[in-house]
Amino acid sequence: MVVPRLCQTAFTLLRQIEPILVLEQLGSTLFETALQMVAKDRCANATYPDTHLSREDSQQKAMSDFYMIYNLIIQLTPILPALFLARLGDRGWRRAPIAVPLCGYLLSRLTLLLVVIFRLPLEVMYGAAVLFGLSGGFCTFWPGVMTLASLGSTQTDRSKAMMRVELLYGTVGLVGSLVSGHLFLLYSSSVGHGTILLTVSTLLHLLCLLHSIFLLQVKQVPSREPEEEPHILSKASSNVPAEAPARINMVNVVLLFVAAMLYGSAVGGAIEILGIFVLKEPLNWSATQVGYGNAAGCMIFLTSFLGVIVFRRCVSDVTLVLIGMLSFASGIYFMSFVTTTYMFYLARSLNLFALIPMPTIRSLLSQQVPASSCGITLTSLQLSLKLAGLAYFPAFTKIYQRTLDWFPGFVFTLSSIFTVLGMIPISIVGCRSPQRRQYERIEGD
């Protein structure tokens, strides 16, 4: 009797969204390290005769130009596919926003593997970015995952459920990042560095795709109001109604979108440059150090989850967002002046709660709209972040190239300023919510 029960439990767990997250994030962290090192290798001999740049600055310019174009393609191409897949998901095909993007993940990983094996030009990855975007990409996959997590939890536990997904994502990313640099250095005499790493990444994404098609189960937990709230403090700290609204609270939705776009621009622009920044002097990291640096970034998933567990007992979701934004603003500002590896890790340690804002904003958004519009709302948010990327990726890249010779960390200071600006609309949401709740209490009495 015990063995069949264990098998049944294991099969039930296998049909959840978590195994897909594990396989996808593990494969993605391996791919990111490989792409970073392949780009560094292919841009090593880049020259710009008209600009009189040094060899290192020429390499930095070539890498930043490649990542700018690559990221712009990824930002632009998923817009229409993501909207279509989100609408398909809201009509009952919940697995479509997950399975279709995973096809793009698989093709892009396979393309980089071919680039390494056959010594193809790095520009081939632009085509891989197009395929990745047309499949919906991350802006379809991640809202699809968050929608399943949202539907599978009650209103009161939604923030915790979403941060639990972030925790798993970060934990797997930490493991993948730690081993990625070592796997990159493994090679055979006939191929070269990165082939084993990319082969493993491609196989993981293949398994992930097969799992989403044949094993993934979709379930929905009906949201309900607890009959009795034992703690007055926890009830007072909740700034949103426990039941899903009958219509969209448009003002709060707009404010949350603005805050998310400002914060997403700050984080996206800074992280894009950070991956290039650590490869130049005075840091000049190797593949192993790049993996460790990515692992430090993944550690923030764990500390952010712990922050949610601790802080949500006594503060509202809006305050959680402000804590996370303040954490990122302080850490990325300190990153502006990093000149040694230990200073880099000190700066990252200040980002302990930097991943709290986005899942909490998604949780707040899901509580401002009816359940039938949850998927399209979260996907619209992700698309808004993509559209913002069309502006901040070129802006941050060009500013970084212009400040290479006098202050390479200026873009991080700029990112800190954008984060502080993002705290303004979130504060307005916090000021609006208690008034609404007080009005409802009077109305009820």
Side-chain angles (χ1 to χ4, degrees):
M1 292 295 292
V2 176
V3 175
R5 284 184 179 180
L6 289 176
C7 292
Q8 184 177 4
T9 302
F11 184 71
T12 301
L13 293 175
L14 191 62
R15 300 194 67 187
Q16 305 303 313
I17 191 64
E18 284 78 6
I20 290 180
L21 282 176
V22 171
L23 293 171
E24 188 278 324
Q25 174 66 339
L26 189 58
S28 291
T29 51
L30 301 182
F31 171 80
E32 288 166 5
T33 299
L35 180 61
Q36 200 169 344
M37 298 310 299
V38 170
K40 178 183 179 181
D41 178 63
R42 299 299 175 86
C43 296
N45 297 321
T47 56
Y48 297 89
D50 297 336
T51 57
H52 306 289
L53 295 173
S54 65
R55 181 177 179 181
E56 183 184 52
D57 287 349
S58 296
Q59 182 186 40
Q60 287 283 300
K61 187 176 188 303
M63 288 185 65
S64 58
D65 284 339
F66 164 75
Y67 272 105
M68 179 184 68
I69 298 173
Y70 181 81
N71 286 322
L72 284 176
I73 294 173
I74 290 178
Q75 301 294 317
L76 184 61
T77 52
I79 295 176
L80 293 178
L83 289 173
F84 172 74
L85 290 170
R87 178 57 63 186
L88 201 63
D90 282 340
R91 290 182 176 179
W93 298 78
R94 293 296 183 187
R95 280 184 289 193
I98 296 176
V100 176
L102 287 175
C103 295
Y105 275 93
L106 178 61
L107 291 174
S108 63
R109 278 50 175 167
L110 181 61
T111 301
L112 184 57
L113 177 60
L114 297 176
V115 167
V116 172
I117 292 177
F118 297 107
R119 302 296 297 177
L120 300 176
L122 186 61
E123 288 73 17
V124 172
M125 291 306 299
Y126 296 152
V130 172
L131 294 175
F132 180 73
L134 291 177
S135 70
F138 184 78
C139 73
T140 299
F141 173 77
W142 193 242
V145 170
M146 284 299 187
T147 299
L148 288 186
S150 175
L151 295 176
S153 62
T154 61
Q155 290 278 346
T156 53
D157 289 334
R158 188 157 294 175
S159 295
K160 186 177 178 180
M162 289 186 172
M163 276 307 303
R164 190 182 297 117
V165 171
E166 298 269 4
L167 172 65
L168 179 62
Y169 205 68
T171 304
V172 177
L174 172 65
V175 175
S177 297
L178 287 174
V179 302
S180 62
H182 299 284
L183 284 176
F184 182 83
L185 298 177
L186 297 177
Y187 71 101
S188 65
S189 58
S190 59
V191 283
H193 293 296
T195 51
I196 295 177
L197 178 67
L198 287 167
T199 300
V200 174
S201 176
T202 303
L203 291 175
L204 287 171
H205 279 96
L206 177 60
L207 290 175
C208 189
L209 175 61
L210 295 175
H211 183 284
S212 67
I213 296 174
F214 298 108
L215 290 178
L216 179 62
Q217 183 183 38
V218 178
K219 65 176 183 178
Q220 181 170 352
V221 176
S223 58
R224 54 186 180 271
E225 178 79 31
E227 294 180 1
E228 183 178 357
E229 186 68 55
H231 298 293
I232 297 176
L233 178 62
S234 62
K235 188 174 184 68
S237 67
S238 177
N239 288 340
V240 293
E243 295 180 353
R247 59 178 181 172
I248 299 176
N249 186 333
M250 188 55 66
V251 176
N252 278 359
V253 167
V254 171
L255 288 171
L256 290 169
F257 265 64
V258 172
M261 290 176 68
L262 286 170
Y263 187 66
S265 299
V267 174
I271 297 304
E272 178 207 12
I273 300 301
L274 189 61
I276 306 169
F277 177 77
V278 297
L279 297 177
K280 70 180 290 293
E281 294 290 348
L283 297 180
N284 195 24
W285 280 3
S286 63
T288 303
Q289 289 173 312
V290 166
Y292 291 159
N294 292 338
C298 291
M299 274 292 296
I300 300 174
F301 283 90
L302 280 69
T303 54
S304 294
F305 177 79
L306 293 176
V308 169
I309 296 299
V310 173
F311 294 138
R312 73 190 297 266
R313 298 175 181 272
C314 53
V315 301
S316 65
D317 283 351
V318 170
T319 307
L320 276 176
V321 175
L322 293 175
I323 290 173
M325 287 184 170
L326 184 62
S327 173
F328 179 78
S330 58
I332 207 63
Y333 178 75
F334 184 56
M335 189 68 71
S336 305
F337 310 99
V338 164
T339 55
T340 60
T341 297
Y342 85 88
M343 290 178 66
F344 171 89
Y345 287 110
L346 285 177
R348 290 304 263 171
S349 68
L350 294 176
N351 295 149
L352 289 175
F353 309 121
L355 291 177
I356 291 179
M358 291 310 296
T360 309
I361 289 175
R362 290 188 181 99
S363 173
L364 287 169
L365 271 175
S366 70
Q367 297 171 36
Q368 310 298 321
V369 299
S372 60
S373 300
C374 183
I376 192 66
T377 301
L378 293 178
T379 301
S380 298
L381 173 64
Q382 200 68 33
L383 287 175
S384 299
L385 298 177
K386 292 291 183 182
L387 291 174
L390 299 179
Y392 71 73
F393 275 126
F396 273 75
T397 299
K398 295 303 179 183
I399 291 172
Y400 177 67
Q401 292 176 355
R402 296 288 178 85
T403 57
L404 264 174
D405 55 344
W406 63 278
F407 188 18
F410 176 74
V411 290
F412 303 133
T413 301
L414 187 64
S415 176
S416 179
I417 295 173
F418 271 93
T419 303
V420 174
L421 292 176
M423 297 172 72
I424 297 174
I426 283 293
S427 300
I428 296 175
V429 172
C431 293
R432 281 174 47 83
S433 298
Q435 294 175 1
R436 180 182 176 190
R437 185 165 187 83
Q438 182 180 7
Y439 173 79
E440 290 178 349
R441 287 288 298 275
I442 293 174
E443 188 88 314
D445 291 339

